[in-house]
Amino acid sequence: MERSIALIALFAALIGALALLPGLTLGFGVPITAQTLGVMLCGTVLGARKGALAVLLYLLLIAIGLPIAANGGAGLGVFARPSVGYLVGFPVGAFVIGLVSSRFANPMGFWPATLAALVGGLVVINVFGIIGMWIKLDVTLPVAIGYAAPFMPGDVIKAVAAGAITAALWKARPGLAAQRG
Amino acid sequence: MTAPPRLRVDLTDVALARDGRPVFEGLSLTLTERRVGVIGRNGAGKSQLSRLIAGLVRPDRGEVRVDGIDVARDRRAAIRSVGILFQNPDHQIIFPTVDEELAFGLTSLGLTRAEARARVTATLARFGRQDWAGRNVQTLSQGQRHLLCLMAVLAMEPATILLDEPFAGLDLATELMLNAILSALPQRLIHVTHDLGALAGYDRVVWLDAGRIVGDGAPAAVIAAYRAEMAERARHAGTEF
Amino acid sequence: MTAPPRLRVDLTDVALARDGRPVFEGLSLTLTERRVGVIGRNGAGKSQLSRLIAGLVRPDRGEVRVDGIDVARDRRAAIRSVGILFQNPDHQIIFPTVDEELAFGLTSLGLTRAEARARVTATLARFGRQDWAGRNVQTLSQGQRHLLCLMAVLAMEPATILLDEPFAGLDLATELMLNAILSALPQRLIHVTHDLGALAGYDRVVWLDAGRIVGDGAPAAVIAAYRAEMAERARHAGTEF
Amino acid sequence: MLALSSDIPTWAHRLPAGRKFAALFGASLAIALARSLPVQGAILVAAVALYLSCGPAFARAGLRALRGLAVIAALIGAWHWLMGAPETAALIVLRLLSAVALANFVTMTTRLEEITALVDRALAALRTPAVLRRRLALAIALTIRFVPVLSDKATRLTEAWRARSPRRASFRIVLPMAIMAIDDAEQVAEALRARGGV
Ligand SMILES: Nc1ncnc2c1ncn2[C@@H]1O[C@H](COP(=O)(O)OP(=O)(O)OP(=O)(O)O)[C@@H](O)[C@H]1O
Ligand SMILES: Nc1ncnc2c1ncn2[C@@H]1O[C@H](COP(=O)(O)OP(=O)(O)OP(=O)(O)O)[C@@H](O)[C@H]1O
Ligand SMILES: O=C(O)CCCC[C@@H]1SC[C@@H]2NC(=O)N[C@@H]21
Ligand SMILES: [Mg+2]
Ligand SMILES: [Mg+2]
């Protein structure tokens, strides 16, 4: 139990640390960030339930005022920004990533992890993000989808990176596979 | 039932493996002295021994009892009887502020919030660090963090304190100060260290090698034998290291 | 232009702040000796001094030159002239295998892959560790990792090597072996340490306190003064620590 | 500490956290529902007045926290304007600025401990078992500890890289960093267990 809590807290902090890397904010107010890589790793390394808990913990900490959202954003204000859909999608994405990778015999292998990160990280998170921008920015759905397009190449790269990191972690610390869930 | 034996550490035929590789295979050891030093090479098993005595890991075979308590199973009693100080304070400090850090172990002991707060204040006062209340741990120096970890352990008033190389990387003044605090403690100390000088006034020194006890007895004799052996090994290091 | 001065470290009126708090305010220091020790309390500024000399951080004011090279600006030349060994090998080893770790610095120097491979083999041979080729770093012991870091620095053949408490937590045999390797090195060493005994045969010892040089000269004198001061401070620790 | 909460003491710091959050909730609802420009304008003016009532230094800190958003709001506004919907443009910009400004105001004037205590009370009111609440409190504290620890590790590895290469550190330091972080988490778990665990 202590180990689970420590790992969940670590991955919540990891998303926060990645969010602080300088990103590029696009015109409609949503940045390209490394956060998604952290969310993907939550799913691929911690599994569905713990991964989603880590992301929820991250969101809670933003809400209570830690400057760990994209570009050092903090507080409840972050949930009033156009990127709110993505934030809501993060825990769902991590959960789906965990579920998808668990369907394979070697969930922390490169291909299972990459595939899961694509499904949960690229598809699920962006669907939520698009809905968020659609509502928040008062644009039509096709325009909102257009807004999300520039993130796709980066998100594919992040999914592959998540797969590679997960596989390497698995090799270095095989015990990690046993704690997924 | 007879009264539990006081001030005893008993390891009986303990086996432990890490990642499938055996660390101990049938280790037995009884400690009754007030000041015990543990020495040995890197990887000899000193930290695993500390973890066993603190009850942080359950032996694969055999039993570890401290003052009669099965420390791996009866965690509630174990945290009252054994405290442990790790090498790196950053691995040990869990909370962002000094108060929270000190209070955590106390609430685990079952103290109410108010009782815990009172004990925190008393502990800070005992070391003349009243001004640390509410302070952010990030703002403490390295030596101050070591002291905080020690206070957190002492606040819980365990009868036995395990020290796993607690002072590597500390400056001389801080080390002298912390050593003075330690030697004045009434508790039993089990001190793992590479700093052989620190064990001078101890009652007993145990030398571990590859999970076995290869030296045991009065500090002077064990340490002299250890020094000789290490010098010998260093000479052959080119081929064997 | 005149020829660059050889074997000199020059800090001229250096100022450096971390997180807005000044660490150095106008530090000047020239080192020409082959063996220099640096001592001082935790937080005195020893590691920041090492980072300055290695060119890892640019001074806010003033200049740091090693053998005439502005190490913070001319990184390409700097990595040829200064190597640095940190306290914890885990903070230093970047690659998963021994070869990759050793080759990394060499390819940064501009060696081709084949040249780098040859130099890696030669370095391993020099320390009698040919069997480490291709080995996974995870399988090395703590002492072996320290040695790997040292080899990675030596393979780059810098004229100056900075050691920032390289041996805290090592066992005696390993420490003796690594010290023997170090003292046989032809390079200039600048050695930051809390282990005062390690500086016995040195040419000069610099004592830093709160970012200023408070002692400088022959080891025996500086270390004796330092010991006395630390004992004094430990006595007043209750109020001042 | 790593937090948005401001060290400058103001009258708003003294209000109970629960009341501030309830007011914020109400205000957010109003911002989301009102479609009238004057109402939205009035809300933003009120928000500005709140900041100013706490003194110039506090207002400056508040402005700094909003700077990034202001640029974004301007871009979004310009876009809608160009699309021929100046009305919508103004509405979106006003909403965005007031919602974020008010939320930041609450965060800046409430200490972290008060907010965590509030979360804890709310969960208690929802009959969350004490064990779970203790775990959550622990997880929050640990995350706050880990963020600076992680960035410190990243700095060290970056320096180890730069000490041996003139080029910038690449993604290759991510793996050793991740391994180190996971080992740290295991150590911390052990330290937790040594003092009673969860
Ligand atoms: N987490 C782990 N996973 C696998 N093996 C481990 C682990 N920790 C320790 N070991 C192994 O257990 C043995 C004993 O290690 P231990 O840490 O007790 O040594 P030590 O005597 O404390 O050494 P040091 O002086 O370096 O601290 C070593 O062979 C080590 O490789
Ligand atoms: N990353 C950092 N951010 C802010 N301040 C720092 C940082 N690193 C060091 N400092 C400050 O700079 C000063 C010098 O620190 P430095 O690490 O050089 O001390 P040191 O002499 O190496 O101590 P030690 O013996 O503990 O290693 C200290 O006051 C420290 O608080
Ligand atoms: O404000 C925030 O903190 C959330 C920013 C979300 C950015 C999203 S995550 C998925 C997509 N990929 C990116 O690189 N950025 C967006
Ligand atoms: Mg150990
Ligand atoms: Mg240092």
Side-chain angles (χ1 to χ4, degrees):
Chain A
M1 177 49 69
E2 288 85 5
R3 188 168 179 234
S4 301
I5 291 185
L7 282 173
I8 287 171
L10 174 73
F11 275 78
L14 178 71
I15 312 175
L18 288 171
L20 298 183
L21 297 181
L24 176 68
T25 302
L26 303 183
F28 45 91
V30 181
I32 295 180
T33 79
Q35 261 166 314
T36 2
L37 176 60
V39 175
M40 290 172 183
L41 286 171
C42 285
T44 55
V45 177
L46 297 182
R49 197 181 58 89
K50 282 190 209 162
L53 283 175
V55 180
L56 287 171
L57 180 60
Y58 166 70
L59 296 180
L60 177 67
L61 283 163
I62 294 180
I64 69 175
L66 254 60
I68 52 175
N71 298 324
L76 294 165
V78 171
F79 298 90
R81 303 199 295 204
S83 57
V84 61
Y86 285 103
L87 293 175
V88 175
F90 283 167
V92 185
F95 192 81
V96 171
I97 292 171
L99 279 190
V100 171
S101 55
S102 297
R103 304 205 66 88
F104 294 85
N106 53 338
M108 291 183 70
F110 173 72
W111 289 110
T114 305
L115 183 74
L118 284 172
V119 174
L122 184 72
V123 180
V124 174
I125 291 178
N126 274 294
V127 166
F128 275 86
I130 289 167
I131 296 174
M133 293 188 289
W134 181 30
I135 297 172
K136 217 49 215 171
L137 297 175
D138 243 336
V139 292
T140 61
L141 190 55
V143 172
I145 294 175
Y147 283 169
F151 298 127
M152 302 295 169
D155 286 357
V156 171
I157 293 172
K158 283 175 241 167
V160 176
I165 293 169
T166 306
L169 272 179
W170 185 40
K171 196 167 152 232
R173 297 287 180 272
L176 280 174
Q179 57 77 43
R180 279 174 48 101
Chain B
M1 213 185 96
T2 57
R6 292 295 298 165
L7 271 186
R8 288 176 66 93
V9 173
D10 284 296
L11 283 87
T12 325
D13 190 29
V14 165
L16 178 74
R18 299 279 314 198
D19 284 347
R21 287 200 338 186
V23 179
F24 301 112
E25 300 173 290
L27 180 72
S28 293
L29 179 66
T30 297
L31 304 174
T32 53
E33 294 77 9
R34 251 190 78 234
R35 292 287 183 269
V36 179
V38 179
I39 60 176
R41 296 205 62 173
N42 294 120
K46 306 181 294 298
S47 294
Q48 299 302 326
L49 178 65
S50 308
R51 294 173 74 235
L52 282 167
I53 298 178
L56 297 175
V57 60
R58 206 176 274 211
D60 301 331
R61 192 186 75 216
E63 226 187 25
V64 179
R65 288 188 179 270
V66 176
D67 303 342
I69 294 157
D70 184 337
V71 282
R73 291 206 170 66
D74 187 355
R75 292 299 301 149
R76 197 167 293 275
I79 62 168
R80 276 169 211 286
S81 63
V82 195
I84 181 165
L85 211 62
F86 299 94
Q87 169 169 355
N88 188 342
D90 288 335
H91 289 152
Q92 184 151 6
I93 297 177
I94 302 163
F95 293 90
T97 66
V98 169
D99 308 54
E100 291 175 277
E101 180 63 21
L102 292 174
F104 172 68
L106 301 175
T107 51
S108 325
L109 287 179
L111 271 65
T112 65
R113 252 160 219 266
E115 288 166 345
R117 207 165 318 127
R119 179 105 61 106
V120 166
T121 311
T123 307
L124 287 172
R126 177 170 162 207
F127 291 95
R129 298 292 180 284
Q130 291 91 335
D131 53 316
W132 284 12
R135 184 135 162 210
N136 183 346
V137 292
Q138 291 290 123
T139 68
L140 298 179
S141 78
Q142 195 65 5
Q144 292 173 326
R145 287 178 201 196
H146 278 276
L147 181 61
L148 172 62
C149 291
L150 182 59
M151 289 198 288
V153 168
L154 290 179
M156 294 177 73
E157 301 177 349
T160 298
I161 297 176
L162 282 160
L163 309 162
D164 193 355
E165 301 182 53
F167 301 147
L170 282 188
D171 67 47
L172 192 55
T174 310
E175 197 187 320
L176 290 172
M177 201 244 358
L178 290 175
N179 269 330
I181 292 178
L182 284 180
S183 51
L185 287 178
Q187 275 96 342
R188 171 175 48 206
L189 298 185
I190 301 176
H191 190 164
V192 174
T193 186
H194 292 294
D195 175 11
L196 305 172
L199 304 177
Y202 274 47
D203 303 316
R204 177 175 172 189
V205 170
V206 175
W207 168 11
L208 269 187
D209 196 79
R212 273 191 305 274
I213 294 168
V214 295
D216 189 353
V222 177
I223 290 175
Y226 179 72
R227 276 192 199 281
E229 167 87 8
M230 291 302 110
E232 186 60 27
R233 291 212 201 177
R235 258 194 299 283
H236 294 106
T239 53
E240 167 222 343
F241 176 73
Chain C
M1 213 184 97
T2 57
R6 292 296 297 164
L7 271 185
R8 288 177 67 95
V9 174
D10 284 296
L11 284 87
T12 325
D13 190 30
V14 165
L16 178 75
R18 301 280 313 198
D19 284 349
R21 288 200 337 187
V23 179
F24 301 113
E25 299 173 290
L27 180 73
S28 293
L29 178 66
T30 297
L31 305 174
T32 53
E33 294 76 8
R34 250 191 78 235
R35 291 288 183 268
V36 179
V38 179
I39 60 176
R41 297 205 63 175
N42 293 121
K46 305 182 295 298
S47 293
Q48 299 301 328
L49 178 65
S50 308
R51 294 172 72 239
L52 281 167
I53 298 177
L56 297 174
V57 61
R58 204 175 278 209
D60 301 330
R61 193 186 74 216
E63 224 186 27
V64 180
R65 288 189 177 270
V66 176
D67 302 342
I69 294 157
D70 184 337
V71 282
R73 293 208 168 65
D74 187 356
R75 293 300 301 149
R76 200 164 290 275
I79 62 169
R80 275 170 212 285
S81 63
V82 195
I84 181 165
L85 210 62
F86 299 95
Q87 170 169 355
N88 189 340
D90 292 337
H91 292 155
Q92 184 153 9
I93 298 175
I94 299 169
F95 298 90
T97 68
V98 169
D99 306 55
E100 288 176 276
E101 183 63 22
L102 291 175
F104 170 61
L106 301 175
T107 49
S108 337
L109 286 179
L111 270 66
T112 65
R113 251 158 218 272
E115 287 166 347
R117 208 167 317 126
R119 179 105 61 105
V120 167
T121 310
T123 307
L124 287 172
R126 177 171 161 205
F127 291 95
R129 298 291 180 284
Q130 291 91 336
D131 53 317
W132 284 12
R135 187 143 159 203
N136 189 333
V137 175
Q138 305 281 352
T139 68
L140 298 179
S141 77
Q142 194 66 5
Q144 292 172 327
R145 286 179 203 197
H146 277 276
L147 180 61
L148 172 62
C149 290
L150 181 59
M151 288 198 289
V153 168
L154 290 178
M156 295 176 73
E157 300 177 348
T160 298
I161 298 176
L162 282 159
L163 308 162
D164 192 355
E165 301 183 53
F167 302 147
L170 282 188
D171 68 46
L172 192 54
T174 310
E175 197 187 319
L176 290 173
M177 201 253 342
L178 290 174
N179 269 331
I181 293 179
L182 285 180
S183 50
L185 287 178
Q187 275 96 343
R188 172 175 49 205
L189 298 186
I190 301 177
H191 190 165
V192 174
T193 185
H194 291 295
D195 175 9
L196 304 173
L199 304 178
Y202 275 46
D203 303 316
R204 176 174 172 190
V205 170
V206 176
W207 169 11
L208 269 187
D209 196 77
R212 274 192 302 274
I213 294 167
V214 295
D216 189 353
V222 177
I223 290 175
Y226 179 72
R227 276 193 201 280
E229 167 87 8
M230 291 302 110
E232 186 60 28
R233 290 212 201 176
R235 257 195 300 282
H236 295 106
T239 52
E240 167 222 343
F241 175 74
Chain D
M1 169 159 345
L2 173 83
L4 190 62
S5 54
S6 158
D7 290 333
I8 305 163
T10 71
W11 60 269
H13 279 86
R14 290 190 295 274
L15 294 181
R19 227 174 289 164
K20 277 184 278 191
F21 277 82
L24 176 64
F25 184 71
S28 305
L29 218 57
I31 292 170
L33 295 179
R35 300 220 107 234
S36 125
L37 266 183
V39 172
Q40 292 288 355
I43 294 177
L44 187 61
V45 170
V48 172
L50 268 181
Y51 276 92
L52 288 176
S53 76
C54 293
F58 181 89
R60 261 199 306 278
L63 198 61
R64 220 174 305 129
L66 276 177
R67 205 156 40 194
L69 185 83
V71 177
I72 294 164
L75 283 170
I76 296 173
W79 170 256
H80 280 277
W81 196 288
L82 290 176
M83 301 317 282
E87 198 82 1
T88 318
L91 207 58
I92 289 183
V93 170
L94 287 175
R95 270 183 179 162
L96 205 57
L97 286 178
S98 339
V100 177
L102 287 174
N104 281 356
F105 183 79
V106 172
T107 309
M108 285 176 69
T109 58
T110 316
R111 282 183 310 122
L112 202 56
E113 293 88 348
E114 288 181 77
I115 308 182
T116 36
L118 182 69
V119 171
D120 193 58
R121 276 205 307 281
L123 289 175
L126 295 169
R127 296 182 197 289
T128 312
V131 195
L132 285 186
R133 284 188 281 128
R134 181 170 156 99
R135 282 182 197 164
L136 180 66
L138 202 59
I140 291 176
L142 279 180
T143 311
I144 296 173
R145 272 281 298 148
F146 277 145
V147 175
V149 170
L150 276 179
S151 56
D152 179 59
K153 302 244 131 129
T155 313
R156 282 172 198 264
L157 273 170
T158 310
E159 288 197 344
W161 176 286
R162 289 203 299 117
R164 288 190 286 150
S165 168
R167 279 185 299 277
R168 287 187 41 202
S170 83
F171 67 94
R172 300 204 63 165
I173 66 162
V174 174
L175 183 66
M177 214 187 112
I179 293 175
M180 227 155 54
I182 284 181
D183 290 348
D184 273 4
E186 309 260 2
Q187 295 258 16
V188 165
E190 197 132 281
L192 265 175
R193 203 150 66 238
R195 287 196 285 150
V198 288

